[in-house]
Amino acid sequence: MSNSKILSALCYFSIFFSPLLLPAIVFFITDDHEVKGHAKRSLISHLAPVVLLIAGFILFSFSIISYESRLYTMMSGQFDFWGLAPFLFMLLYGLLFLFVVIWNVFQGVKVLK
């Protein structure tokens, strides 16, 4: 097994120990076109949950800011999106992260074959 395959697979498997750092280092250090492509793909897949986490932070901020107005809508029995939004976000983030982990493991094993 060649070093380029091991390095490419390690970029995908780094989701477990160094999600953003290792693929970024490999992308900027290596000269091999194939390894650089795998490092870029794994870096993008590792960035997707981070971007969603930043969006979730903004969503939670709006949820906290609108807390006082939510009290009035809860008392009147109306539907409250901002009260439900953090739970929907956690569900979406969990599913996306699970998908990213499975995809990275699949791609890492595929590279090693």
Side-chain angles (χ1 to χ4, degrees):
M1 189 167 302
S2 68
N3 287 339
S4 64
K5 284 188 175 187
I6 292 173
L7 193 56
S8 297
L10 196 58
C11 286
Y12 290 112
F13 293 143
S14 71
I15 190 81
F16 296 114
F17 57 88
S18 178
L20 296 174
L21 188 61
L22 184 68
I25 290 172
V26 169
F27 180 75
F28 289 116
I29 297 295
T30 189
D31 292 331
D32 188 2
H33 183 67
E34 183 181 347
V35 174
K36 191 173 274 228
H38 286 292
K40 184 171 123 181
R41 287 179 67 195
S42 66
L43 182 63
I44 290 171
S45 72
H46 295 176
L47 275 174
V50 172
V51 170
L52 189 62
L53 194 61
I54 292 170
F57 177 73
I58 294 169
L59 181 74
F60 283 130
S61 299
F62 283 129
S63 177
I64 290 171
I65 291 170
S66 67
Y67 181 72
E68 185 177 329
S69 66
R70 286 187 314 176
L71 286 176
Y72 296 119
T73 58
M74 287 190 318
M75 289 179 189
S76 65
Q78 296 175 350
F79 177 72
D80 181 29
F81 172 74
W82 289 111
L84 190 61
F87 298 108
L88 291 174
F89 169 76
M90 286 188 287
L91 177 68
L92 179 67
Y93 182 78
L95 290 174
L96 176 74
F97 189 74
L98 181 66
F99 174 75
V100 167
V101 168
I102 291 171
W103 186 82
N104 277 296
V105 169
F106 176 75
Q107 292 296 323
V109 171
K110 186 176 161 184
V111 167
L112 288 176
K113 285 188 176 186

